[in-house]
Amino acid sequence: MTPGKSAETARPARRRLSVDRRREELMAAALELFSTRDAEDVSIDDVASAAGASRALVYHYFGGKQELYVAALRSAAEQLESRLRPQGGGRPLDELASGLRRYFDFVEEHATGFAALLRGGPADRAGEVGEIVDGVRQRLFRLIQKQMQVEEPSPVLRMTLRSWIASVETAGLDWLERRDIERPVLEKLLVDHMVALLRVAAAHDGDVAGLLERLA
């Protein structure tokens, strides 16, 4: 060490952050990496480097990569679900359109979190990760069901709504990758897609036919 310089001035000063803030930074770095690479290809060292933290600190807060992966995805899911809380007061299709706007607000503002949450094959859908993703879908399903004032959906309506939710997820990922369609156009397309699916379902289920009349 150079004479006259203390150890404190000889090395870069570490930022002093609260526990919550440091955890958030680590999870944000993890989401960025998990959104573009498979989880097994991301190491603790990768996350630590991206967050400007030490490997030991990541282990201190999360215990290991799987714990960090689950925490990061849960954070993304909670942020998305908070956007989907119903506003109330409008017609069901208007409420659906409003919910889609909030959904795509999240997609656009938190692209890495959204992509990490939904990206990956069946191998990534087991255990806690699968529960997180399914929890978001179930929350969206219940919100749509409430907006449509349906107490107990028939099998035909249940499958129709779940198919539409899958379409919305796919559209979100495709839009993030290409962005070759304006968001308002995409959102209107998905509302029209819901109506089209309900019309098909109505031909097979009288309850759905009655629901469609109410929505119209």
Side-chain angles (χ1 to χ4, degrees), residues 139-212:
R139 171 72 171 164
L140 184 54
F141 182 93
R142 289 192 298 269
L143 287 174
I144 297 169
Q145 181 182 334
K146 184 175 181 179
Q147 288 170 348
M148 293 183 174
Q149 300 177 357
V150 174
E151 291 293 332
E152 186 64 36
S154 67
V156 170
L157 180 58
R158 184 189 68 243
M159 287 186 283
T160 298
L161 297 183
R162 292 184 68 180
S163 296
W164 183 78
I165 290 168
S167 296
V168 172
E169 291 178 359
T170 302
L173 290 171
D174 183 83
W175 184 78
L176 279 179
E177 180 182 352
R178 302 175 186 275
R179 296 190 188 239
D180 53 1
I181 183 172
E182 296 295 326
R183 254 190 63 185
V185 175
L186 175 59
E187 292 164 11
K188 180 62 166 60
L189 173 65
L190 288 169
V191 173
D192 291 345
H193 186 196
M194 169 67 87
V195 175
L197 286 173
L198 290 174
R199 284 176 178 157
V200 172
H204 301 271
D205 188 317
D207 290 340
V208 178
L211 169 63
L212 193 57

Side-chain angles (χ1 to χ4, degrees), residues 42-110:
V42 177
S43 69
I44 288 292
D45 287 334
D46 292 333
V47 176
S49 176
S54 68
R55 188 170 187 267
L57 191 64
V58 180
Y59 278 112
H60 172 73
Y61 281 119
F62 296 101
K65 186 174 73 173
Q66 181 63 18
E67 290 85 351
L68 173 59
Y69 184 44
V70 170
L73 293 188
R74 183 169 288 118
S75 173
E78 289 170 354
Q79 292 177 59
L80 176 55
E81 288 182 5
S82 70
R83 297 290 184 96
L84 298 178
R85 290 170 187 157
Q87 306 296 301
R91 297 185 308 160
L93 288 181
D94 292 337
E95 286 291 299
L96 183 67
S98 176
L100 276 173
R101 282 194 297 273
R102 297 193 302 274
Y103 183 92
F104 279 99
D105 281 344
F106 177 86
V107 171
E108 188 165 17
E109 295 169 18
H110 304 278

